[in-house]
mmCIF file of all heavy atoms in Angstrom:
data_model
loop_
_atom_site.group_PDB
_atom_site.id
_atom_site.type_symbol
_atom_site.label_atom_id
_atom_site.label_comp_id
_atom_site.label_asym_id
_atom_site.label_seq_id
_atom_site.Cartn_x
_atom_site.Cartn_y
_atom_site.Cartn_z
ATOM 1 N N GLU A 45 129.875 185.393 100.172
ATOM 2 C CA GLU A 45 129.045 184.718 101.180
ATOM 3 C C GLU A 45 128.436 183.407 100.622
ATOM 4 O O GLU A 45 128.389 182.394 101.301
ATOM 5 C CB GLU A 45 127.923 185.623 101.698
ATOM 6 C CG GLU A 45 128.491 186.706 102.624
ATOM 7 C CD GLU A 45 127.401 187.714 103.035
ATOM 8 O OE1 GLU A 45 126.513 188.043 102.209
ATOM 9 O OE2 GLU A 45 127.538 188.268 104.146
ATOM 10 N N ILE A 46 127.968 183.484 99.381
ATOM 11 C CA ILE A 46 127.403 182.279 98.739
ATOM 12 C C ILE A 46 128.444 181.219 98.551
ATOM 13 O O ILE A 46 128.257 180.064 98.893
ATOM 14 C CB ILE A 46 126.778 182.653 97.337
ATOM 15 C CG1 ILE A 46 125.515 183.509 97.555
ATOM 16 C CG2 ILE A 46 126.503 181.362 96.547
ATOM 17 C CD1 ILE A 46 125.017 184.130 96.295
ATOM 18 N N ILE A 47 129.643 181.597 98.110
ATOM 19 C CA ILE A 47 130.734 180.632 97.955
ATOM 20 C C ILE A 47 131.136 180.024 99.295
ATOM 21 O O ILE A 47 131.342 178.847 99.411
ATOM 22 C CB ILE A 47 131.956 181.344 97.283
ATOM 23 C CG1 ILE A 47 131.603 181.679 95.824
ATOM 24 C CG2 ILE A 47 133.222 180.440 97.350
ATOM 25 C CD1 ILE A 47 132.600 182.635 95.135
ATOM 26 N N TRP A 48 131.225 180.913 100.314
ATOM 27 C CA TRP A 48 131.577 180.439 101.629
ATOM 28 C C TRP A 48 130.555 179.422 102.131
ATOM 29 O O TRP A 48 130.943 178.405 102.696
ATOM 30 C CB TRP A 48 131.668 181.653 102.578
ATOM 31 C CG TRP A 48 132.426 181.351 103.839
ATOM 32 C CD1 TRP A 48 131.903 181.141 105.081
ATOM 33 C CD2 TRP A 48 133.807 181.240 104.002
ATOM 34 N NE1 TRP A 48 132.925 180.903 105.981
ATOM 35 C CE2 TRP A 48 134.098 180.935 105.282
ATOM 36 C CE3 TRP A 48 134.884 181.330 103.052
ATOM 37 C CZ2 TRP A 48 135.376 180.726 105.759
ATOM 38 C CZ3 TRP A 48 136.153 181.090 103.517
ATOM 39 C CH2 TRP A 48 136.391 180.842 104.870
ATOM 40 N N ASP A 49 129.284 179.715 101.931
ATOM 41 C CA ASP A 49 128.191 178.741 102.403
ATOM 42 C C ASP A 49 128.318 177.463 101.644
ATOM 43 O O ASP A 49 128.228 176.399 102.238
ATOM 44 C CB ASP A 49 126.837 179.448 102.143
ATOM 45 C CG ASP A 49 125.702 178.539 102.629
ATOM 46 O OD1 ASP A 49 125.772 178.100 103.787
ATOM 47 O OD2 ASP A 49 124.800 178.267 101.857
ATOM 48 N N LEU A 50 128.568 177.535 100.359
ATOM 49 C CA LEU A 50 128.677 176.304 99.558
ATOM 50 C C LEU A 50 129.892 175.455 100.000
ATOM 51 O O LEU A 50 129.808 174.234 100.059
ATOM 52 C CB LEU A 50 128.735 176.591 98.064
ATOM 53 C CG LEU A 50 127.460 177.170 97.488
ATOM 54 C CD1 LEU A 50 127.687 177.607 96.035
ATOM 55 C CD2 LEU A 50 126.314 176.141 97.557
ATOM 56 N N ALA A 51 130.978 176.154 100.309
ATOM 57 C CA ALA A 51 132.181 175.446 100.726
ATOM 58 C C ALA A 51 131.956 174.737 102.045
ATOM 59 O O ALA A 51 132.398 173.610 102.264
ATOM 60 C CB ALA A 51 133.357 176.417 100.849
ATOM 61 N N GLU A 52 131.219 175.413 102.977
ATOM 62 C CA GLU A 52 130.910 174.795 104.275
ATOM 63 C C GLU A 52 130.012 173.528 104.069
ATOM 64 O O GLU A 52 130.198 172.497 104.700
ATOM 65 C CB GLU A 52 130.224 175.770 105.176
ATOM 66 C CG GLU A 52 131.163 176.788 105.734
ATOM 67 C CD GLU A 52 130.474 177.803 106.673
ATOM 68 O OE1 GLU A 52 129.254 177.867 106.673
ATOM 69 O OE2 GLU A 52 131.203 178.496 107.366
ATOM 70 N N ARG A 53 129.051 173.654 103.147
ATOM 71 C CA ARG A 53 128.176 172.535 102.855
ATOM 72 C C ARG A 53 128.951 171.364 102.286
ATOM 73 O O ARG A 53 128.737 170.220 102.614
ATOM 74 C CB ARG A 53 127.066 172.936 101.918
ATOM 75 C CG ARG A 53 126.032 173.825 102.523
ATOM 76 C CD ARG A 53 124.954 174.197 101.534
ATOM 77 N NE ARG A 53 124.122 175.231 102.064
ATOM 78 C CZ ARG A 53 122.926 175.550 101.528
ATOM 79 N NH1 ARG A 53 122.550 174.928 100.433
ATOM 80 N NH2 ARG A 53 122.193 176.505 102.037
ATOM 81 N N LEU A 54 129.873 171.649 101.369
ATOM 82 C CA LEU A 54 130.688 170.607 100.731
ATOM 83 C C LEU A 54 131.533 169.923 101.765
ATOM 84 O O LEU A 54 131.640 168.743 101.771
ATOM 85 C CB LEU A 54 131.576 171.211 99.643
ATOM 86 C CG LEU A 54 132.492 170.248 98.946
ATOM 87 C CD1 LEU A 54 131.703 169.146 98.236
ATOM 88 C CD2 LEU A 54 133.344 170.989 97.929
ATOM 89 N N ASP A 55 132.128 170.731 102.665
ATOM 90 C CA ASP A 55 132.916 170.142 103.770
ATOM 91 C C ASP A 55 132.113 169.174 104.619
ATOM 92 O O ASP A 55 132.527 168.094 104.959
ATOM 93 C CB ASP A 55 133.499 171.251 104.620
ATOM 94 C CG ASP A 55 134.478 170.753 105.698
ATOM 95 O OD1 ASP A 55 135.394 169.984 105.317
ATOM 96 O OD2 ASP A 55 134.283 171.097 106.885
ATOM 97 N N THR A 56 130.878 169.583 104.936
ATOM 98 C CA THR A 56 129.997 168.756 105.727
ATOM 99 C C THR A 56 129.634 167.480 104.965
ATOM 100 O O THR A 56 129.628 166.399 105.536
ATOM 101 C CB THR A 56 128.679 169.528 106.073
ATOM 102 O OG1 THR A 56 129.019 170.685 106.807
ATOM 103 C CG2 THR A 56 127.717 168.665 106.862
ATOM 104 N N MET A 57 129.345 167.600 103.686
ATOM 105 C CA MET A 57 129.012 166.426 102.876
ATOM 106 C C MET A 57 130.203 165.480 102.784
ATOM 107 O O MET A 57 129.994 164.216 102.776
ATOM 108 C CB MET A 57 128.564 166.880 101.483
ATOM 109 C CG MET A 57 127.210 167.558 101.511
ATOM 110 S SD MET A 57 126.763 168.330 99.915
ATOM 111 C CE MET A 57 126.881 166.984 98.787
ATOM 112 N N GLU A 58 131.382 165.988 102.658
ATOM 113 C CA GLU A 58 132.576 165.097 102.576
ATOM 114 C C GLU A 58 132.817 164.342 103.872
ATOM 115 O O GLU A 58 133.458 163.294 103.839
ATOM 116 C CB GLU A 58 133.791 165.928 102.198
ATOM 117 C CG GLU A 58 133.749 166.421 100.769
ATOM 118 C CD GLU A 58 134.921 167.303 100.387
ATOM 119 O OE1 GLU A 58 135.606 167.862 101.319
ATOM 120 O OE2 GLU A 58 135.145 167.525 99.227
ATOM 121 N N LYS A 59 132.307 164.798 104.976
ATOM 122 C CA LYS A 59 132.519 164.161 106.264
ATOM 123 C C LYS A 59 131.471 163.012 106.484
ATOM 124 O O LYS A 59 131.651 162.229 107.392
ATOM 125 C CB LYS A 59 132.416 165.170 107.385
ATOM 126 C CG LYS A 59 133.605 166.115 107.428
ATOM 127 C CD LYS A 59 133.461 167.155 108.515
ATOM 128 C CE LYS A 59 134.647 168.109 108.451
ATOM 129 N NZ LYS A 59 134.493 169.172 109.457
ATOM 130 N N ILE A 60 130.471 162.927 105.641
ATOM 131 C CA ILE A 60 129.458 161.907 105.787
ATOM 132 C C ILE A 60 130.044 160.568 105.448
ATOM 133 O O ILE A 60 130.754 160.404 104.443
ATOM 134 C CB ILE A 60 128.262 162.177 104.877
ATOM 135 C CG1 ILE A 60 127.532 163.481 105.347
ATOM 136 C CG2 ILE A 60 127.314 161.016 104.850
ATOM 137 C CD1 ILE A 60 126.425 163.960 104.384
ATOM 138 N N ASP A 61 129.777 159.555 106.306
ATOM 139 C CA ASP A 61 130.266 158.230 106.043
ATOM 140 C C ASP A 61 129.322 157.606 104.966
ATOM 141 O O ASP A 61 128.198 157.247 105.275
ATOM 142 C CB ASP A 61 130.240 157.400 107.321
ATOM 143 C CG ASP A 61 130.840 156.009 107.121
ATOM 144 O OD1 ASP A 61 130.919 155.517 106.003
ATOM 145 O OD2 ASP A 61 131.163 155.394 108.168
#
Side-chain angles (χ1 to χ4, degrees):
E45 288 173 327
I46 290 168
I47 292 168
W48 198 255
D49 182 53
L50 291 172
E52 286 180 347
R53 289 181 189 193
L54 179 60
D55 184 53
T56 300
M57 289 171 55
E58 289 176 343
K59 292 178 182 177
I60 293 173
D61 185 340

